[in-house]
Amino acid sequence: MGDPEEAEEHGRRLILHNFLSFQECKELEFIHKSNCTVGYRPHVFSTTLSHLIATNSAHLIMPFVPIRERLKEKVEEFFGCQYELFVEFTGLISWSRGSSIGWHSDDNRPYLKQRDFAAVCYLNSYGNDFKGGLFHFQDGDPATIVPSGGDVVIYTADSRNIHSVDEITDGERLTLALWFSRDATYDEDAKLITLLSQNFLHDNAPELCLPLPASSNMYWFSPDQASSDQQLGFDICWARLHVLGYDLLFHQDKSYCSNMSELLMEPLRLTRGDELFEHEFINILHALQVVQFYCWKAPDFKSAKVEETTSVVVLSQSQRERFVCLKSLFVKDVRLVDSVFSNVTFVESAQHSFNWVDFTIAIATWEDYVRKLHRELVMSLPHWRTQQSIFNVSLDEK
């Protein structure tokens, strides 16, 4: 992903190699793994821009802005429709073990006919990060796309580009997907600007935006995703923490509470092995965002020469019993969690490199990151409202 961008033109489709940098891919991976909900297909997870706004993480749309602009320019240039297109939908989508999709076009439903073009950006790579998940076109060249982090596939959304995705057999395949339309009534920007304006009615909004979980059913993974039966499956927020070696201890004893949505909003602390980290997180999404941020930025903390103190104590037996009891509510089947989310190489690496001092640095660094993006959003929103378009506002304009 560090090489210069290369393009392959194939008439109805365009392949861009190294379009996204390694850091852009890792940042989007962080956003997805700390915010996603169960998706539209079995074993698929998604993060939409409207969901980020709704869960008090609107600042996290900022990394998407320059990428959306660059992609729209490439699509308009390749298909000869400059200034004609609107972004219809933007979403991060991950495919876990067992997911696949058969032959289809991207406009194959009456409610999708507005889609003219598609762009699929790969955020990680076949072989290294997942197995299976090859992308196939039914006709024309190239017949098969091997996903590689940073590459983008652009194609018409109609029956000229019928395609499929092989079943994922291991790991998690991460993508950023965008669709474009010539019909302005489907402009995603206008809808997002309305949502943002509603969320920023007061100028004194805090710079440190702490995430607020959505309803618990949006995070509940069931082997049969047509069912919301919480006797099976797991909460994906707790599950993503589990595969990285963390557990949760609520500030107060909540073993009597069975309301999942209420529990997702409760203050908590992280545990790891026999250790309890005494820093309090406002809710499970807050903890998950910091943990995933640490996973993204861990190499930077290793080289940082910073004196930090951290407060870690040994778990008591009663505390251990409390989190084991609550974990049984959030994770009904640990083997299913490991099957869906565990990538052995990644998890082993995360386990071996961990220390609480670096993690403490990650909390402060995450807070700085959130404040920076929040300031950028606040300065950009007036320009977006004026133009009714989301675009990268230059520093001079700000």
Side-chain angles (χ1 to χ4, degrees):
M1 282 185 276
D3 296 330
E5 180 186 316
E6 299 175 8
E8 294 179 33
E9 298 187 13
H10 298 275
R12 297 168 297 179
R13 59 193 69 136
L14 173 68
I15 318 299
L16 297 173
H17 299 287
N18 306 304
F19 180 80
L20 297 180
S21 70
F22 177 78
Q23 281 303 320
E24 285 175 319
C25 291
K26 297 306 288 185
E27 185 169 20
L28 294 179
E29 178 180 351
F30 148 70
I31 292 171
H32 179 65
K33 288 186 174 181
S34 58
N35 295 278
C36 70
T37 63
V38 292
Y40 60 101
R41 300 181 61 81
H43 297 258
V44 170
F45 306 93
S46 65
T47 304
T48 65
L49 302 190
S50 58
H51 176 74
L52 292 174
I53 296 170
T55 53
N56 207 40
S57 294
H59 53 280
L60 291 178
I61 75 172
M62 296 308 295
F64 293 85
V65 175
I67 296 172
R68 289 167 92 245
E69 275 195 301
R70 285 158 48 204
L71 280 169
K72 182 169 172 286
E73 289 172 3
K74 287 290 186 182
V75 173
E76 290 181 330
E77 177 186 351
F78 182 69
F79 290 107
C81 50
Q82 281 87 346
Y83 310 113
E84 293 181 17
L85 298 183
F86 303 89
V87 178
E88 186 258 355
F89 178 84
T90 307
L92 294 168
I93 303 170
S94 66
W95 304 60
S96 66
R97 182 180 298 179
S99 59
S100 65
I101 188 168
W103 295 113
H104 70 286
S105 64
D106 286 350
D107 68 346
N108 66 343
R109 296 286 187 274
Y111 56 86
L112 300 177
K113 289 300 180 184
Q114 71 278 3
R115 292 183 172 177
D116 293 302
F117 305 103
V120 177
C121 312
Y122 297 109
L123 306 182
N124 60 358
S125 300
Y126 170 83
N128 293 333
D129 304 299
F130 60 89
K131 296 177 182 177
L134 296 180
F135 183 107
H136 303 285
F137 284 111
Q138 194 172 58
D139 300 302
D141 292 318
T144 297
I145 305 293
V146 179
S148 180
D151 288 0
V152 178
V153 185
I154 293 170
Y155 51 92
T156 60
D158 57 18
S159 59
R160 291 175 293 173
N161 275 304
I162 292 175
H163 56 279
S164 66
V165 176
D166 291 345
E167 182 176 334
I168 310 299
T169 58
D170 189 36
E172 190 172 7
R173 177 185 185 268
L174 304 175
T175 60
L176 168 65
L178 284 86
W179 283 273
F180 302 89
S181 177
R182 290 188 173 92
D183 188 340
T185 60
Y186 292 94
D187 182 11
E188 183 182 45
D189 286 13
K191 299 169 187 174
L192 294 174
I193 291 167
T194 298
L195 290 174
L196 287 167
S197 298
Q198 292 169 352
N199 278 267
F200 285 85
L201 291 175
H202 306 291
D203 293 333
N204 60 348
E207 284 194 352
L208 183 57
C209 302
L210 297 175
L212 296 173
S215 174
S216 61
N217 66 323
M218 297 185 70
Y219 303 110
W220 191 260
F221 176 93
S222 173
D224 176 13
Q225 283 186 245
S227 168
S228 59
D229 183 6
Q230 294 194 351
Q231 298 305 309
L232 300 171
F234 55 82
D235 175 87
I236 61 175
C237 301
W238 196 308
R240 286 199 182 275
L241 291 166
H242 163 81
V243 297
L244 294 171
Y246 302 88
D247 276 303
L248 305 176
L249 185 69
F250 290 100
H251 184 63
Q252 298 178 339
D253 183 5
K254 295 291 179 179
S255 55
Y256 59 86
C257 181
S258 59
N259 185 321
M260 297 285 287
S261 292
E262 179 183 325
L263 286 170
L264 291 175
M265 299 290 289
E266 287 293 321
L268 54 86
R269 290 170 288 173
L270 288 172
T271 75
R272 194 174 175 87
D274 293 326
E275 297 178 324
L276 171 64
F277 183 52
E278 293 204 299
H279 181 91
E280 185 173 278
F281 296 93
I282 196 70
N283 57 49
I284 194 170
L285 273 192
H286 180 201
L288 181 59
Q289 283 196 11
V290 172
V291 166
Q292 293 292 348
F293 185 83
Y294 171 76
C295 291
W296 170 29
K297 293 291 189 178
D300 297 343
F301 305 138
K302 292 297 178 187
S303 60
K305 303 297 182 183
V306 179
E307 291 294 328
E308 283 286 344
T309 58
T310 186
S311 182
V312 179
V313 298
V314 176
L315 274 170
S316 69
Q317 184 60 32
S318 63
Q319 288 172 330
R320 179 177 291 280
E321 289 170 357
R322 277 166 51 194
F323 88 66
V324 168
C325 179
L326 279 166
K327 186 172 183 176
S328 68
L329 290 175
F330 284 87
V331 180
K332 303 293 186 182
D333 187 340
V334 171
R335 288 179 298 179
L336 180 62
V337 170
D338 293 337
S339 171
V340 171
F341 282 141
S342 284
N343 179 304
V344 174
T345 303
F346 172 75
V347 171
E348 286 182 350
S349 173
Q351 299 275 14
H352 292 160
S353 62
F354 179 85
N355 73 72
W356 286 116
V357 173
D358 288 346
F359 190 84
T360 302
I361 299 171
I363 295 173
T365 310
W366 173 82
E367 291 176 354
D368 291 342
Y369 170 82
V370 169
R371 290 188 180 98
K372 173 180 177 292
L373 292 185
H374 178 78
R375 286 194 296 270
E376 291 177 1
L377 175 58
V378 169
M379 289 188 286
S380 298
L381 186 54
H383 299 274
W384 297 352
R385 285 188 185 127
T386 301
Q387 300 295 327
Q388 280 299 291
S389 176
I390 293 176
F391 57 97
N392 198 28
V393 179
S394 71
L395 291 174
D396 290 340
E397 288 180 273
K398 293 177 185 178

